[in-house]
Amino acid sequence: MATIEEYSGGTILAGIGKTLMYFDAVAGSVPRDEKFHHILHKIDAFEPLILTLGQAMEYIRRAEAIAIGERVCRVLHPDSVCSESVFLDDLAVAMVRAGKAKNADAEDARKSLEKSSGRPLIISRVSGKHQEICPSVPSECVYWQAEKKGMRCLKRKA
Ligand code: SF4
């Protein structure tokens, strides 16, 4: 599972970048070998859930701290559209401390997510708790690319 330290220190990017490169190198679906299961296991640890804006707001309103910052994988795609993620609780605090996000309130977070309407919202588990809400960019997102390669990893929140 990824940790808050990996997010705030940026080391999370190494794993995301390596996985995307592997997907790019494989034509069609990923073969169901040891590597397939290794990658799927790592991705599953994030327990990614697709949320409606209403469901995202429920997490945001319950959070003790909220911050907004650039989605973590954008640095791997410098020509990509800007989009901001919402970080919650201890992850929010750590990202602000690292200079990667700004403190926000629930209304700021709603406006930020609305700016990216049309992009699927995904919440990920970090250090044991769902704390990152990203308006994902499917062509660049490790979860959507995994799905495209035959790894079922995304679920809709009930
Ligand atoms: S687009 Fe996907 S991989 Fe990138 S930060 Fe958002 S959820 Fe993570």
Side-chain angles (χ1 to χ4, degrees), residues 16 71-73 122 132 134 136-137 141-143:
I16 296 176
R71 77 184 142 92
V72 292
C73 77
I122 299 181
E132 179 203 26
C134 175
S136 60
V137 178
C141 175
V142 74
Y143 301 136

Side-chain angles (χ1 to χ4, degrees), residues 24-155:
D24 278 349
V26 176
S29 296
V30 173
R32 292 189 170 242
D33 55 11
E34 204 178 313
K35 189 150 186 164
F36 174 102
H37 293 290
H38 175 72
I39 293 175
L40 187 56
H41 179 70
K42 291 219 157 206
I43 290 178
D44 278 346
F46 290 85
E47 294 180 29
L49 293 171
I50 302 171
L51 304 178
T52 63
L53 180 60
Q55 289 169 330
M57 288 309 297
E58 284 173 30
Y59 281 97
I60 289 166
R61 287 197 194 96
R62 282 200 301 265
E64 287 176 7
I66 303 166
I68 296 172
E70 192 173 73
R71 77 184 142 92
V72 292
C73 77
R74 177 152 185 262
V75 74
L76 297 171
H77 312 280
D79 298 329
S80 172
V81 288
C82 292
S83 59
E84 293 170 335
S85 290
V86 174
F87 305 107
L88 306 175
D89 296 315
D90 291 344
L91 179 61
V93 173
M95 293 299 267
V96 170
R97 259 196 215 128
K100 295 183 176 178
K102 290 188 175 154
N103 285 313
D105 61 20
E107 187 54 18
D108 299 328
R110 187 182 61 76
K111 284 185 189 153
S112 169
L113 295 180
E114 279 179 347
K115 272 196 276 178
S116 299
S117 72
R119 300 211 188 98
L121 297 178
I122 299 181
I123 191 163
S124 297
R125 196 172 161 93
V126 183
S127 285
K129 195 174 169 191
H130 280 103
Q131 304 191 74
E132 179 203 26
I133 301 173
C134 175
S136 60
V137 178
S139 59
E140 297 162 2
C141 175
V142 74
Y143 301 136
W144 290 108
Q145 291 306 303
E147 288 272 336
K148 203 171 147 190
K149 292 288 173 185
M151 288 183 182
R152 296 285 162 249
C153 62
L154 284 169
K155 292 190 183 87

